Structures are given as C-alpha cells and as structure tokens.
C-alpha cells in the first residue's frame, strides 16, 4: 500500500526495483526456495528500498518517467531498424534486377547489331 501523494509510478518503480534485486540476489534459488526461507535476508533489502523510495518520491517519479521515455525510444528504434532491413532487402532486389536488365541490354545490342549486318 502506498499513500496517494506517491502517485502511481513510484509504487510500480519500487516493485520493478525489488524484482530486479530479487533476481540478482537469488536467481534460480528463488524459484525453488522454501516459503519465507529467504525472508530474513531479503527483508533488510526491502526495508532499505522502502525507506529510499519513500524519501525520494520526486526523484523516483522522474526516474520512472525517464525509463518510460527510454522504452518508447527503444520501441521506435526497433521499428526503424526493421523498416531499414526491409528497405535493404528491396534495394538488393532492385540491384539484382538492374544487373539483369543491364545484361539483357548488352545481349539485345549484340543481337540487333548482328541482325543489322545480315540485313544490309
């Protein structure tokens, strides 16, 4: 539970921070551990993080806003890279067609020259 003055983003930022710290500290051991088996160790981490998030709500809110902006930029970058790769494929196809057209042009020129010589 969080007070209303914390807003919505601070509690979620706190939960994300706790999840990351849990994974970093316990990794696979956290999946197979007994219920409350790591409570004594991790309760200190929880208390420190709660105190820090309670004191610095403005900073944490700003940090979570920056994280969300970074996520948006990352999504746009991924989309742009996908478009660039698709465009690269199209350019490669165009180059292949151009080379084929160039070869056919030379062949046509040789054949037309041969026909012209035969007709004259």
């Amino acid at each position: 539970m969080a007070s209303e003055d914390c807003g919505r983003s601070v509690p979620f930022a706190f939960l994300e921070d706790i999840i990351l710290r849990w994974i970093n500290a316990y990794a696979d051991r956290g999946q197979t551990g007994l219920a409350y088996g790591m409570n004594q160790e991790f309760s200190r981490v929880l208390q420190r993080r709660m105190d820090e998030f309670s004191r610095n709500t403005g900073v944490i809110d700003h940090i979570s806003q920056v994280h969300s902006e970074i996520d948006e930029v990352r999504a746009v970058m991924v989309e742009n890279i996908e478009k660039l790769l698709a465009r690269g494929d199209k350019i490669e196809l165009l180059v292949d067609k151009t080379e084929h057209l160039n070869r056919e042009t030379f062949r046509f020129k040789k054949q037309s020259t041969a026909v012209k010589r035969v007709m004259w």
Side-chain angles (χ1 to χ4, degrees), residues 79-92:
E79 182 180 333
N80 287 343
I81 289 171
E82 288 173 354
K83 287 179 182 177
L84 184 66
L85 291 174
R87 190 175 77 192
D89 289 343
K90 290 179 182 176
I91 289 174
E92 188 176 313

Side-chain angles (χ1 to χ4, degrees), residues 64-111:
S64 64
Q65 180 183 2
V66 169
H67 278 293
S68 66
E69 289 174 5
I70 289 172
D71 289 340
E72 289 175 20
V73 169
R74 183 179 296 136
V76 169
M77 285 176 53
V78 166
E79 182 180 333
N80 287 343
I81 289 171
E82 288 173 354
K83 287 179 182 177
L84 184 66
L85 291 174
R87 190 175 77 192
D89 289 343
K90 290 179 182 176
I91 289 174
E92 188 176 313
L93 183 62
L94 259 173
V95 167
D96 290 343
K97 287 182 177 182
T98 303
E99 289 173 354
H100 178 68
L101 185 61
N102 196 18
R103 285 191 303 270
E104 291 298 316
T105 302
F106 284 127
R107 194 177 78 159
F108 176 77
K109 185 176 180 182
K110 282 184 181 181
Q111 287 176 348

